[in-house]
Every structure is written in structure tokens, then in C-alpha cells.
Amino acid sequence: MLRTTLSISARRAIIGATFRPHIIARCASSTPSYTIVETKPEEIKKKQYPTSPHLTIYRLPLPAWLSITFRGTGMALSAVFAGVGIGMLGASHELVYYINQLQQLSPLLPALMKFAIAFPTTYHFVAGARHLMWDSKPWQFLTIRKAFASGYIVMGLTAVISIALAFTTF
């Protein structure tokens, strides 16, 4: 091991004197010098500590799941719409032709496909409005009780609007 005694200026740089001068004064008065110990890689022994189970034993609350889903639907929508757009560049027919072909396979298939598009789109829109409300007035909308209540509202509105859009003909 290599031991080095540092000067006062080096100690202040390490501790961060510009941000926390009260810590410097306390440290400087209690210990006369600091020692940094440099350990070489061959001196480090691998210790086998158990892995923290964190998410395997902790149940995420509803607002956390809704926030994760909000981000996931945003990424999925971006990927799907970009993929369809890029795919249609090389397609031999327009999108309406392919939709009609799917409708001939099964009359329920277009409704399921519309729901598959409407659900993440609606969820992302409604959850985005919820996040905008939180950003506009956090002291009013961002309490634990209101976060759970708005989460249930988001889920309910998403279900109703998605089902309505899935069975609506345009």
C-alpha cells in the first residue's frame, strides 16, 4: 500500500471547500492531516457479499408502475409509428389496402388492432396530462393520496376511451 500525506490545499480540494466550508473546519480541527490509501489491484481480495434483493422484496406502488408504463408506452409508440412509417416507404400498396386485407381475414381483427394502437396512445395522452398537472401545481396535485386517485382516474379513462376508439368506425 502507498500512503500519501496531503497538504491543506489538497485536503480542501478533496473535501470540497468551496461547497462545504463547515466540514473543512471540523475536519481540520479534529485531525491534523489526512491520509489517502492507494490499493493496488493485486492487493484487493474479492469478497463475496450477497446481492441486495431490493426489487424482489419491495412492491412498487401504483404511481411508480404508472410512471414506468408512461415511459414505456412513449418508447413503444415511437418505435411502432417510426416502423410503420419506414415500412410504408417500401410498401407496394397504401395502408388502407393492408387494413382491408386484415379485415377479410377476420372481422374482429381490425377492432383488436385499433385497440392495440388506441390503448397505448390514449394511456400516454392521459398520463401525460396527469404529469402536466403535477408540473403546473405540484403543491395541489402531487400528494400521495392524489397521486393514487389520479392513477385510478388515468386507468379508468384509458380503458373507456380505448374501448370506444377500438369499436368506432371512421
Side-chain angles (χ1 to χ4, degrees):
M1 280 197 260
L2 174 68
R3 292 182 179 262
T4 308
T5 303
L6 300 174
S7 65
I8 291 175
S9 60
R11 284 184 284 184
R12 286 187 181 152
I14 290 172
I15 295 174
T18 56
F19 301 110
R20 296 173 280 172
H22 61 282
I23 294 176
I24 300 281
R26 227 182 312 138
C27 292
S29 63
S30 62
T31 56
S33 67
Y34 290 94
T35 303
I36 293 181
V37 178
E38 182 181 335
T39 307
K40 300 194 188 259
E42 55 270 3
E43 296 175 357
I44 298 174
K45 294 180 182 176
K46 269 196 160 181
K47 296 184 180 179
Q48 297 297 325
Y49 293 108
T51 305
S52 174
H54 60 287
L55 290 178
T56 59
I57 62 169
Y58 177 70
R59 185 172 175 225
L60 290 174
L62 176 70
W65 282 112
L66 294 178
S67 184
I68 293 167
T69 306
F70 174 62
R71 286 160 179 79
T73 56
M75 290 186 296
L77 287 169
S78 296
V80 167
F81 288 143
V84 168
I86 292 170
M88 290 307 296
L89 288 174
S92 59
H93 299 287
E94 292 183 2
L95 185 61
V96 177
Y97 171 80
Y98 296 110
I99 293 173
N100 289 333
Q101 293 296 319
L102 289 172
Q103 193 170 13
Q104 289 177 1
L105 292 174
S106 169
L108 190 61
L109 197 56
L112 289 174
M113 290 184 64
K114 283 194 286 184
F115 182 78
I117 294 170
F119 181 78
T121 306
T122 304
Y123 178 81
H124 194 73
F125 179 78
V126 175
R130 174 183 179 218
H131 277 267
L132 287 174
M133 287 176 31
W134 284 352
D135 291 341
S136 67
K137 295 182 181 176
W139 62 90
Q140 186 176 0
F141 297 115
L142 198 54
T143 63
I144 292 175
R145 177 181 283 169
K146 289 186 180 180
F148 275 91
S150 65
Y152 290 120
I153 291 170
V154 164
M155 290 189 307
L157 280 174
T158 299
V160 169
I161 294 171
S162 297
I163 292 170
L165 286 173
F167 292 104
T168 302
T169 55
F170 297 104

